[in-house]
Amino acid sequence: MDIIETIKSGLDYLDGFLGSADYFPFLLIGVGLFFTIYLGLPQVRYFGQAVRIVKGKYSKSSDPGDTSHFAALSTALSGTVGTGNIGGVALAIFMGGPAAIFWMWVTAFLGMTTKFVEVTLSHKYREKTEDGTMAGGPMYYMEKKLNMKWLAVIFALATIISSFGTGNMPQINNIAQVMNDTFLIPNWITGVVLAILLAMVIIGGIKRIAKVAERVVPFMAVLYVIGALLVIIYNYQNIVPSFSAIIGSVFSGSAAVGGFLGASFAYAMQRGVNRGLFSNEAGQGSAAIAHSAAKGKEPASEGMVSLLEPFIDTLIICTLTALVILSSGVWKDKHQNTFDRNDMIFVAGEYSDSSESDVKQLQIFLDRKTEKTSEVKRFNGSISIQDGVAISDGFTLINARSIAEDVTYHQYEDESLKSTPITGELTVKDGRLENPEIVVEGKSLLHSASLTAEAFTRGFLGENGKYIVSLGLLLFAFTTAIAWSYYGDRAVTYLFGSKGVHVYRVFYVAMFALAAVVDTTVVWALANVAIVMMTIPNLIGIMLLHKDMKKTVKDYWSDFRKENPK
């Protein structure tokens, strides 16, 4: 095992005690449920008020802050509406079946309240920095109100790590890959061009970031929604069955069709909750940083604006993505594709997905927590290949949690993009091909953005539908990188003062360009840990301030009624 895989394994192990732990979904949902009851269903009662505030009905130019309510909402949405809405939903269905979407809905509905709370408190305890701009976020209420500087430092450090791990490197890596696959643009060109554009935006600070966000976010959202509807309407006869699959599979405990990792109640819940968090970030505290820059004297008013985010991000956009995937039927079919090295694993013995016994054994094996107790073992040895096809037996290749079919093995020629079928012996160690240059193709399940792209071809636009996904990924991922640069910017300001911001921005842009051409597997693993290191302290903090929150909301309505008598 090389150093990269060793680091990733260590981070995955740590994640087992954090985001992938059994308690985490209950913690996230539990906090949202508590505040939903404690504050009297604010996501429903204050929804209309939130819309009026976003429209600027109560705005005053004299209010302190750097951006408008709409600009703050757009900036926060640009950070949340990203690859998670396209690839994350597909991954949730792939890992947990349709039931995972139900838990994404639950997370979003309760997350509307969680975000309302974290944004209100962050806006309330924000402060003006040396350069005259506003700085806020959970780290400020942790220090100023809770007197827990150590907790604030943990949150700020995790925010900086997450800015690279979720908002920066994986985003450009996805963009570069999509641009290469769709338009044959070399990865390095995409990286350099977008890094220059990124630098031009973030050097202007929150005002320029917000200006770009409030123009790009509405456009990209409308474009994606129209594209999704063209697929859903084309497959209109499957709309009701899709909703039935989501609701019905919640308690059925059935396995995801075509896959091995079952969609049990507990597993689908965990996958749906985690994907919901990664999508709308409710509870993570990141969006609270953007909203802290909004103009306004009443913190609760900005909190109300923020409760619209999970609604737009998850209950609308993610639901549309789910319906595209489920109604088109692509999620349960095997498709011809080039296998990713991280998705492949060779197991000893021959298995069939038509055998219920084989499927159950593979389910146990593919679960990280039960692999060691499984009867299925990783394959070690050599495979004989002739003209690209395996002629030896005694093994089964699993790709994307499905038994691969029609598999061929190729290797690219040194000075061309052409690949030639292999004849000879391939060495497999601990279930992995030793030679990383081998290209493996065949039929298997798809997941992430590839699954969504395939689903978008099953509508009125046909094969052209994949361009909606490509453009959506480009815009979503790029604006996510912009928003997260600001989150990291404010965390750096909190820890080191304004003097550290310029160094951070240079490093942020440099890593953005570099990540277009390097493997970001470890970065993703690090981000999974950092996200939870943001979320847990934030959830603890807002729970400790529940009385403060209730009083803040009560004071808002008291002042509002005085200024706006009927």
Side-chain angles (χ1 to χ4, degrees):
M1 184 181 292
D2 59 27
I3 185 65
I4 298 298
E5 290 188 355
T6 301
I7 295 173
K8 184 179 181 300
S9 296
L11 290 169
D12 286 342
Y13 179 77
L14 181 60
D15 182 54
F17 295 98
L18 297 171
S20 295
D22 293 337
Y23 72 84
F24 185 71
F26 293 98
L27 174 64
L28 188 66
I29 289 178
V31 172
L33 181 60
F34 167 78
F35 277 109
T36 294
I37 297 172
Y38 184 66
L39 298 177
L41 211 65
Q43 63 268 68
V44 175
R45 293 170 58 211
Y46 304 155
F47 192 91
Q49 182 75 347
V51 173
R52 289 188 289 272
I53 294 171
V54 169
K55 289 181 177 179
K57 184 173 182 180
Y58 311 114
S59 298
K60 297 179 181 178
S61 58
S62 59
D63 287 342
D66 304 320
T67 65
S68 67
H69 294 296
F70 179 74
L73 175 64
S74 297
T75 302
L77 278 172
S78 70
T80 58
V81 178
T83 55
N85 298 78
I86 295 178
V89 175
L91 184 61
I93 293 173
F94 169 75
M95 298 289 281
I101 302 304
F102 172 83
W103 291 110
M104 288 186 74
W105 290 344
V106 172
T107 305
F109 181 74
L110 298 177
M112 291 171 71
T113 299
T114 306
K115 187 158 286 194
F116 169 51
V117 175
E118 65 189 10
V119 168
T120 298
L121 292 172
S122 294
H123 194 279
K124 182 176 183 178
Y125 294 104
R126 65 181 179 170
E127 59 184 42
K128 186 169 288 189
T129 64
E130 302 165 3
D131 59 11
T133 60
M134 287 293 185
M139 54 275 199
Y140 286 92
Y141 76 69
M142 289 174 185
E143 179 182 354
K144 295 172 68 175
K145 183 62 177 179
L146 293 174
N147 296 316
M148 300 171 73
K149 175 79 172 181
W150 60 273
L151 192 65
V153 170
I154 291 175
F155 180 88
L157 289 173
T159 300
I160 295 172
I161 294 172
S162 289
S163 73
F164 289 99
T166 60
N168 182 316
M169 299 179 72
Q171 303 296 335
I172 183 59
N173 195 266
N174 277 333
I175 295 173
Q177 192 60 52
V178 168
M179 292 298 103
N180 183 270
D181 293 343
T182 308
F183 304 109
L184 301 179
I185 299 174
N187 289 26
W188 71 269
I189 292 180
T190 299
V192 170
V193 172
L194 291 186
I196 293 172
L197 292 176
L198 177 67
M200 292 171 63
V201 174
I202 69 175
I203 200 171
I206 183 58
K207 291 185 178 180
R208 186 176 297 173
I209 290 172
K211 189 170 292 185
V212 171
E214 66 182 344
R215 285 170 171 75
V216 176
V217 170
F219 168 76
M220 71 181 187
V222 170
L223 175 68
Y224 188 76
V225 167
I226 291 174
L229 289 174
L230 289 175
V231 178
I232 295 169
I233 295 172
Y234 184 84
N235 299 286
Y236 70 92
Q237 72 277 7
N238 294 327
I239 295 176
V240 173
S242 295
F243 278 108
S244 297
I246 294 172
I247 303 300
S249 61
V250 173
F251 303 105
S252 68
S254 60
V257 177
F260 300 125
L261 199 52
S264 65
F265 182 94
Y267 194 82
M269 177 184 179
Q270 185 182 69
R271 290 299 165 183
V273 169
N274 285 353
R275 285 297 114 191
L277 171 63
F278 296 158
S279 176
N280 59 55
E281 298 175 13
Q284 187 177 341
S286 51
I289 300 174
H291 283 284
S292 295
K295 291 184 176 182
K297 294 185 298 183
E298 296 285 353
S301 66
E302 191 58 33
M304 291 175 189
V305 170
S306 70
L307 64 78
L308 296 174
E309 287 168 31
F311 178 81
I312 296 171
D313 176 275
T314 306
L315 295 180
I316 294 181
I317 299 179
C318 286
T319 297
L320 288 174
T321 301
L323 288 177
V324 166
I325 294 170
L326 295 175
S327 68
S328 64
V330 298
W331 68 285
K332 56 187 178 181
D333 297 331
K334 294 180 181 180
H335 306 271
Q336 183 69 28
N337 67 101
T338 300
F339 298 167
D340 187 282
R341 181 178 175 85
N342 294 317
D343 285 339
M344 290 191 296
I345 184 168
F346 292 81
V347 297
E350 298 179 19
Y351 297 87
S352 169
D353 49 17
S354 61
S355 167
E356 184 176 345
S357 174
D358 286 358
V359 168
K360 287 182 178 180
Q361 290 184 56
L362 289 169
Q363 283 181 326
I364 296 172
F365 171 77
L366 291 171
D367 189 328
R368 184 175 60 193
K369 297 179 180 178
T370 57
E371 179 185 350
K372 291 183 178 180
T373 63
S374 170
E375 296 179 6
V376 181
K377 302 301 178 185
R378 293 171 179 259
F379 180 76
N380 286 280
S382 61
I383 300 174
S384 299
I385 308 294
Q386 184 173 328
D387 295 326
V389 179
I391 57 175
S392 58
D393 53 21
F395 72 93
T396 299
L397 173 57
I398 296 176
N399 185 68
R401 299 182 181 272
S402 58
I403 294 178
E405 301 175 0
D406 302 332
V407 181
T408 57
Y409 302 83
H410 306 260
Q411 191 162 19
Y412 283 112
E413 297 175 7
D414 292 338
E415 298 180 357
S416 72
L417 294 177
K418 293 182 179 180
S419 62
T420 56
I422 293 172
T423 295
E425 299 290 317
L426 293 179
T427 302
V428 177
K429 185 177 181 180
D430 197 31
R432 305 288 185 184
L433 279 174
E434 278 211 321
N435 188 346
E437 297 180 0
I438 302 300
V439 178
V440 185
E441 297 178 343
K443 291 182 178 179
S444 73
L445 294 180
L446 297 177
H447 65 78
S448 303
S450 298
L451 177 58
T452 307
E454 181 65 30
F456 266 74
T457 66
R458 306 294 179 90
F460 288 108
L461 296 178
E463 289 297 318
N464 293 324
K466 65 184 180 182
Y467 296 116
I468 296 288
V469 176
S470 297
L471 184 57
L473 273 174
L474 170 62
L475 294 175
F476 286 5
F478 184 64
T479 54
T480 295
I482 292 173
W484 269 95
S485 73
Y486 179 68
Y487 300 160
D489 176 311
R490 295 297 87 178
V492 168
T493 299
Y494 173 78
L495 292 172
F496 309 109
S498 300
K499 61 182 180 297
V501 170
H502 296 298
V503 175
Y504 167 79
R505 289 175 181 170
V506 170
F507 191 59
Y508 191 87
V509 172
M511 296 305 292
F512 187 77
L514 179 64
V517 294
V518 301
D519 183 6
T520 59
T521 302
V522 173
V523 179
W524 269 117
L526 182 61
N528 287 338
V529 174
I531 287 172
V532 182
M533 292 301 290
M534 291 176 66
T535 305
I536 293 177
N538 182 53
L539 294 178
I540 293 173
I542 62 177
M543 284 297 294
L544 292 174
L545 292 176
H546 64 280
K547 292 183 179 179
D548 189 340
M549 178 64 195
K550 195 164 192 175
K551 182 178 184 303
T552 303
V553 176
K554 182 179 179 180
D555 290 344
Y556 166 78
W557 284 115
S558 177
D559 293 341
F560 178 80
R561 293 186 181 98
K562 291 177 181 177
E563 295 180 8
N564 300 275
K566 293 184 179 180

